Amino acid sequence: MTTTQSVQLSEITPHPSVEYWSVCKVEALYETPFLELIYRAAQVHREHFNPQAIQLSTLMSIKTGGCPEDCGYCPQSARYQTGVQNQQLLDVDEVIAKAKIAKSRGAGRFCMGAAWRGPKPKDMEKVTQIIKAVKDLGLETCGTFGLLQDGMAEELKEAGLDYYNHNLDTAPENYHEVISTRRFDDRLSTLGKVRKAGLKVCCGGIVGMNETRKERAGLIASLANLDPQPESVPINQLVKVEGTPLAEAEDLDWTEFVRTIAVARITMPKSYVRLSAGRQGMTEEMQAMCFMAGANSIFYGDKLLVTGNPEEDGDQLLMAKLDLEPETEENRKVLEIE
């Protein structure tokens, strides 16, 4: 992270209440011998969470395709030919039907995504109606709706939104290599509005986009230095979609992804670390290592917006094999370690 970028972060958080993580310090964590790093992350996890409980979230696209942005990883961009069909904002009843199914299958949080640069004022009435209806089902609510205009975060909060997802995607110095239609600072601006409105933050990034390890460390450092740190941190492995600029990205070695989970857990000890996109291509053994390294949340369901995700039955079988259980109010507390 450059000096300029560090100053920009400090301007948002003038009185840090969390440990400052330099990129060099995060890189040093990455260099820790693999099994020692996993062990350290597992220790940190157990200090703050029940290691057998996994928070389950379901993600639904409530407005698909036609996004004007040029994110190099995204099949929903109108700039790329990926086969994704444009779909207008869904009706409340369609969303509620899916939310009821998600709750019946054990999901505790229902996340809704809309493919646009950001909602227009005319969209907010329907979006807030959807949020209120989902909240009335007794589910936690999360929304990822892009860049927010002044006052919108407060509207979402009033409607019952619990979390706002707005990922940093990649390190500040690598951002222009992935996206040119917005700036890294635009992301920080929306996160500031979300915090000011009293919403919880879900903020992570994507690895496997041809970035270097130093740039992965820069992403984690940027996340860990947000004050307060995000309550949820989704770590995504790039899902390569034909037609997007990153479709031919070099495969990331599985150990590097697990290292990233472990580093996220150590630097953000009280955050939920979500094993997110890309999980469909992970073996059971790799997922087990991620849980050992501190991942304690997953997206649960057969689709992440427009890309695949493991089937619920497969997730249930894997959790049973690993003696894991869905997080509830009762099992959320930290286990006493004798």
Side-chain angles (χ1 to χ4, degrees), residues 14-32:
H15 303 292
S17 62
V18 296
E19 178 180 357
Y20 177 75
W21 288 91
S22 68
V23 175
C24 290
K25 191 174 179 181
V26 176
E27 266 195 292
L29 276 180
Y30 268 97
E31 296 295 334
T32 305

Side-chain angles (χ1 to χ4, degrees), residues 6-76:
S6 297
V7 169
Q8 289 169 344
L9 282 172
S10 66
E11 287 173 349
I12 293 175
T13 58
H15 303 292
S17 62
V18 296
E19 178 180 357
Y20 177 75
W21 288 91
S22 68
V23 175
C24 290
K25 191 174 179 181
V26 176
E27 266 195 292
L29 276 180
Y30 268 97
E31 296 295 334
T32 305
F34 182 74
L35 294 180
E36 175 63 21
L37 178 63
I38 303 306
Y39 176 68
R40 287 178 60 185
Q43 287 181 307
V44 172
H45 187 194
R46 282 156 175 73
E47 289 174 7
H48 300 282
F49 292 96
N50 177 346
Q52 292 175 260
I54 302 294
Q55 191 274 323
L56 302 182
S57 295
T58 293
L59 177 61
M60 180 183 183
S61 178
I62 64 172
K63 189 274 176 188
T64 303
C67 182
E69 303 267 33
D70 68 350
C71 306
Y73 53 80
C74 186
Q76 299 201 67

Side-chain angles (χ1 to χ4, degrees), residues 167-183:
N167 292 334
L168 296 183
D169 288 339
T170 189
E173 61 271 21
N174 191 48
Y175 199 78
H176 68 282
E177 297 289 344
V178 179
I179 305 163
S180 70
T181 50
R182 61 171 178 263
R183 302 169 303 154

Side-chain angles (χ1 to χ4, degrees), residues 163-217:
Y163 289 80
Y164 194 79
N165 169 256
H166 203 58
N167 292 334
L168 296 183
D169 288 339
T170 189
E173 61 271 21
N174 191 48
Y175 199 78
H176 68 282
E177 297 289 344
V178 179
I179 305 163
S180 70
T181 50
R182 61 171 178 263
R183 302 169 303 154
F184 190 82
D185 286 354
D186 293 330
R187 290 288 194 179
L188 296 179
S189 175
T190 285
L191 289 172
K193 292 173 182 175
V194 166
R195 279 296 188 199
K196 186 178 178 181
L199 290 164
K200 295 177 183 178
V201 167
C202 176
C203 184
I206 306 169
V207 297
M209 298 193 295
N210 291 327
E211 76 281 351
T212 64
R213 176 178 279 184
K214 183 175 183 179
E215 288 165 343
R216 282 190 285 280

